[in-house]
Amino acid sequence: MAPDGSVRIPRVFFDADVLVAGSASTSGASHALLRTCGATILHGLCSAGVVTEARRTIVEKIPSALPQLDAMVAECLTVVPNPKEEDLQPYSGWAALDDLPHFVAATMNDCGFFVTFNRRHYYPKAGRPSIILPSQLLLRLRRSVAEMLFTGET
């Protein structure tokens, strides 16, 4: 809880691979996390570049999932602009070149977590955002909720 008594909703950035997985299947951690954002338990974000990359992958590999992707993005996520070229420079070396704009978008939008299956593509030099697998974040969320419920915290 914030000092003023308001509830701070964690900001979570989703990489394109997680959007693809969450759109193609309704039974995995990616889908569950995206729906959690739709329920406003988490504040889900992605960049316009992430959406473009996810759409391209879906069209190439599983075109039948394109309506689910578009609905998931519209209902569950805030799409932020891609960072400008000059915004990338201070973070040079913190992510693979193709993935750097996604990482910088997450950092510029104060996301505590960067959810991806491609953790090896990211090597931040500071602690935020935490690079995390969908299953790991879902487990942390479940543990937090269980702890809150069973300790009587409100």
Side-chain angles (χ1 to χ4, degrees), residues 2-152:
D4 65 0
S6 63
V7 176
R8 288 184 30 211
I9 299 174
R11 296 171 68 86
V12 177
F13 193 94
F14 290 91
D15 202 1
D17 56 351
V18 179
L19 296 186
V20 170
S23 300
S25 172
T26 59
S27 63
S30 299
H31 185 83
L33 285 172
L34 290 164
R35 286 293 174 204
T36 301
C37 294
T40 69
I41 294 167
L42 298 172
H43 183 172
L45 296 95
C46 67
S47 65
V50 163
V51 174
T52 299
E53 184 179 327
R55 289 185 108 255
R56 184 175 52 245
T57 301
I58 292 269
V59 166
E60 287 176 14
K61 297 182 179 184
I62 32 179
S64 62
L66 190 56
Q68 291 90 331
L69 172 66
D70 290 340
M72 195 74 74
V73 169
E75 296 168 14
C76 303
L77 299 174
T78 300
V79 179
V80 298
N82 295 326
K84 296 178 179 137
E85 195 65 36
E86 59 266 19
D87 296 329
L88 304 179
Q89 205 55 35
Y91 298 96
S92 180
W94 291 37
L97 193 56
D98 290 348
D99 296 311
L100 186 60
H102 309 327
F103 177 81
V104 173
T107 302
M108 290 177 65
N109 286 280
D110 195 31
C111 293
F113 297 97
F114 188 101
V115 185
T116 184
F117 290 104
N118 297 317
R119 294 185 329 170
R120 68 187 184 284
H121 294 187
Y122 301 92
Y123 11 90
K125 300 185 180 20
R128 280 179 64 98
S130 295
I131 310 300
I132 193 165
L133 292 167
S135 59
Q136 292 173 321
L137 183 57
L138 186 59
L139 181 60
R140 285 180 72 166
L141 183 62
R142 286 177 176 157
R143 285 182 178 155
S144 295
V145 169
E147 182 179 313
M148 179 194 65
L149 291 174
F150 293 119
T151 61

